[in-house]
């Protein structure tokens, strides 16, 4: 089994088994409308999202310094999604939907119905993925996770010892995460399951960048499928930040001629995500992107009277897409976009 790869083939190989002609046709519609919109600078939307991110909960047990869940700094309502709403969401998107990411903000395992969400999506032949801080993977939960049919599981592990780990994952316990990973690997073997594809994700910040090689070796030792490295989104970065790594290969920012830091990636007036996917908060609010962490750009709310399809094609969404096509930088959530934020080793 390949442990490291320089592209996403190994990580997403399992998605091909979920492809159908309806999903392929939907992808073609999305792609054509996306390129037509970029060329004409007028938003045209054909098809429905091929992927969605759903928020099981806003709650989190940690206090990570750059995260609104950790800082408990949301201005929006917080809570846990109920199973009925999740059923409604995936039901309304129909058989064109391909990918469900059960994560937005918060720790998904704090929703007691989380594995039921996964099992329901899996029964509908949807590719499922989530991201966890790994503190709630008991032996029973590990077995339930494997049995749910989850396809991909990212476990955040930002250090190879407690001292380093807790400098970013405030309130976290390194050994708890390690034991959780071991349980997942064990139950995959015992249940003879190829899924979930287990990824240790290492958020590279100044306090842990000296452990990059160590975490690669740790991943091999634990038996996960992959170790990936992610650059940190920093809320204040123009004048530097104490979390910014010295090796700028692992930073999404670069030093400009004026002595200030800026994004490495040029902010183009286009965004594939606005045509291919959407994000839905725990209470059914639809927002355009995972960077809208506080749901500042509300496109609408799914409820008894309003469907996702109505929201997907409404004037608010069209206006937002138009803004991206003409002057993306005017949207505040685009100003710190993480396009290209993973470093493949």
């Amino acid at each position: 089994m390949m442990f490291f790869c320089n592209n996403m083939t190994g990580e997403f190989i399992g998605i091909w088994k979920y492809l159908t002609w309806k999903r392929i046709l939907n992808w073609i519609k999305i792609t054509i409308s996306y390129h037509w919109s970029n060329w004409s600078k007028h938003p045209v939307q054909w098809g429905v999202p091929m992927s969605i991110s759903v928020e099981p909960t806003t709650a989190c047990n940690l206090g990570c310094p750059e995260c609104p869940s950790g800082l408990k700094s949301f201005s929006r309502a917080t809570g846990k999604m109920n199973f009925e709403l999740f059923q409604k969401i995936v039901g309304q998107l129909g058989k064109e939907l391909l990918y469900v990411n059960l994560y937005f903000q918060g720790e998904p395992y704090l929703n007691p119905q989380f594995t039921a969400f996964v099992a329901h999506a899996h029964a509908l032949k949807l590719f499922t993925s989530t991201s966890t801080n790994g503190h709630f993977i008991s032996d029973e939960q590990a077995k339930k996770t494997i049995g749910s049919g989850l396809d991909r599981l990212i476990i955040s592990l930002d250090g190879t010892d407690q001292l380093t780990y807790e400098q970013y994952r405030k309130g976290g316990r390194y050994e708890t995460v390690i034991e959780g990973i071991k349980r997942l690997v064990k139950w995959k073997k015992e249940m003879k399951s190829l899924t979930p594809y287990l990824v240790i994700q290492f958020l590279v910040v100044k306090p842990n960048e000296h452990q990059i090689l160590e975490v690669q070796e740790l991943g091999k030792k634990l038996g996960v499928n992959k170790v990936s490295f992610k650059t940190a989104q920093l809320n204040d970065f123009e004048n530097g930040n104490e979390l910014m790594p010295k090796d700028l290969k692992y930073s999404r920012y670069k030093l400009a001629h004026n002595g200030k830091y800026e994004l490495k990636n040029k902010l183009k007036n286009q965004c594939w995500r606005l045509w291919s996917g959407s994000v839905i908060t725990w209470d059914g609010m639809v927002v355009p992107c995972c960077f809208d962490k506080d749901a500042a750009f509300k496109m609408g709310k799914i409820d008894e009277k309003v469907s996702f399809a109505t929201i997907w094609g409404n004037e608010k969404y069209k206006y937002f897409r138009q803004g991206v096509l003409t002057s993306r930088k005017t949207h505040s959530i685009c100003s710190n976009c993480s396009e290209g934020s993973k470093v493949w080793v």
Side-chain angles (χ1 to χ4, degrees):
M1 180 178 292
M2 183 177 292
F3 183 77
F4 296 106
C5 58
N6 59 6
N7 57 50
M8 300 176 80
T9 304
E11 190 168 356
F12 289 101
I13 193 70
I15 203 168
W16 299 109
K17 66 183 179 183
Y18 296 104
L19 285 177
T20 64
W21 284 113
K22 281 192 174 183
R23 288 166 179 168
I24 292 170
L25 180 59
N26 185 56
W27 174 78
I28 293 171
K29 289 179 179 179
I30 293 168
T31 303
I32 293 173
S33 64
Y34 169 70
H35 288 296
W36 179 267
S37 299
N38 287 334
W39 176 78
S40 67
K41 296 302 177 184
H42 178 73
V44 174
Q45 182 64 54
W46 298 322
V48 296
M50 59 190 294
S51 67
I52 57 169
S53 290
V54 175
E55 183 177 60
T57 180
T58 52
C60 188
N61 55 307
L62 302 185
C64 305
E66 297 291 324
C67 174
S69 291
L71 296 172
K72 313 298 186 287
S73 61
F74 289 116
S75 60
R76 63 182 170 102
T78 57
K80 296 182 177 73
M81 180 175 285
N82 62 58
F83 187 71
E84 290 73 22
L85 177 57
F86 181 74
Q87 283 183 305
K88 180 181 292 186
I89 291 167
V90 294
Q92 287 184 0
L93 281 156
K95 294 184 178 180
E96 287 80 10
L97 181 64
L98 173 63
Y99 185 111
V100 178
N101 178 35
L102 286 142
Y103 173 76
F104 177 31
Q105 300 301 303
E107 167 52 48
Y109 280 94
L110 285 175
N111 187 320
Q113 294 182 301
F114 168 69
T115 53
F117 290 178
V118 176
H120 180 68
H122 181 71
L124 295 174
K125 301 187 184 308
L126 295 166
F127 185 95
T128 52
S129 175
T130 196
S131 179
T132 177
N133 62 45
H135 281 76
F136 302 97
I137 313 296
S138 63
D139 200 59
E140 179 186 2
Q141 194 64 270
K143 185 177 180 180
K144 286 174 65 177
T145 297
I146 307 305
S148 70
L150 184 67
D151 290 287
R152 183 172 67 121
L153 177 58
I154 296 172
I155 307 106
S156 296
L157 185 66
D158 307 327
T160 59
D161 57 64
Q162 177 63 28
L163 181 62
T164 304
Y165 173 79
E166 67 183 357
Q167 290 190 61
Y168 186 81
R169 298 287 167 179
K170 305 291 185 183
R173 291 180 58 82
Y174 170 78
E175 286 299 332
T176 299
V177 183
I178 294 297
E179 290 305 312
I181 294 171
K182 289 179 179 178
R183 293 183 189 110
L184 289 164
V185 172
K186 180 194 77 170
W187 278 109
K188 276 185 68 176
K189 290 178 180 177
E190 291 197 11
M191 298 174 72
K192 296 180 173 56
S193 177
L194 295 176
T195 57
Y197 190 90
L198 296 176
V199 181
I200 287 178
Q201 183 170 273
F202 191 86
L203 184 72
V204 183
V205 287
K206 189 174 182 180
N208 69 13
E209 63 179 316
H210 64 288
Q211 293 182 339
I212 287 172
L213 293 178
E214 291 178 25
V215 77
Q216 291 177 335
E217 291 302 314
L218 178 61
K220 292 178 183 178
K221 182 179 177 181
L222 290 172
V224 300
N225 296 97
K226 183 178 179 182
V227 173
S228 70
F229 298 92
K230 186 178 181 181
T231 61
Q233 178 192 1
L234 303 175
N235 296 319
D236 297 310
F237 62 85
E238 288 189 355
N239 296 311
N241 188 297
E242 61 181 6
L243 291 172
M244 194 178 293
K246 291 182 180 179
D247 187 347
L248 294 184
K249 172 186 176 181
Y250 297 99
S251 174
R252 70 180 63 177
Y253 311 102
K254 64 181 180 180
L255 192 61
H257 296 299
N258 61 2
K260 303 284 187 179
Y261 285 91
E262 63 182 16
L263 284 172
K264 286 180 180 178
N265 301 314
K266 186 178 179 181
L267 201 63
K268 298 178 181 179
N269 289 331
Q270 59 188 52
C271 180
W272 168 248
R273 294 182 184 184
L274 287 180
W275 273 257
S276 64
S278 192
V279 178
I280 304 167
T281 65
W282 70 273
D283 55 351
M285 193 68 68
V286 178
V287 297
C289 171
C290 60
F291 272 77
D292 192 4
K293 298 176 181 180
D294 211 18
F297 294 86
K298 299 175 179 67
M299 301 294 107
K301 186 174 182 178
I302 300 171
D303 55 28
E304 289 76 14
K305 297 180 180 179
V306 181
S307 68
F308 180 87
T310 301
I311 298 168
W312 184 242
N314 70 15
E315 289 303 315
K316 283 187 177 181
Y317 239 130
K318 290 178 182 178
Y319 180 78
F320 193 91
R321 292 187 185 106
Q322 183 67 67
V324 166
L325 293 171
T326 53
S327 183
R328 186 179 174 194
K329 63 183 179 181
T330 60
H331 290 322
S332 58
I333 60 172
C334 298
S335 64
N336 208 350
C337 181
S338 65
E339 184 178 357
S341 65
K342 286 189 178 179
V343 181
W344 305 100
V345 178

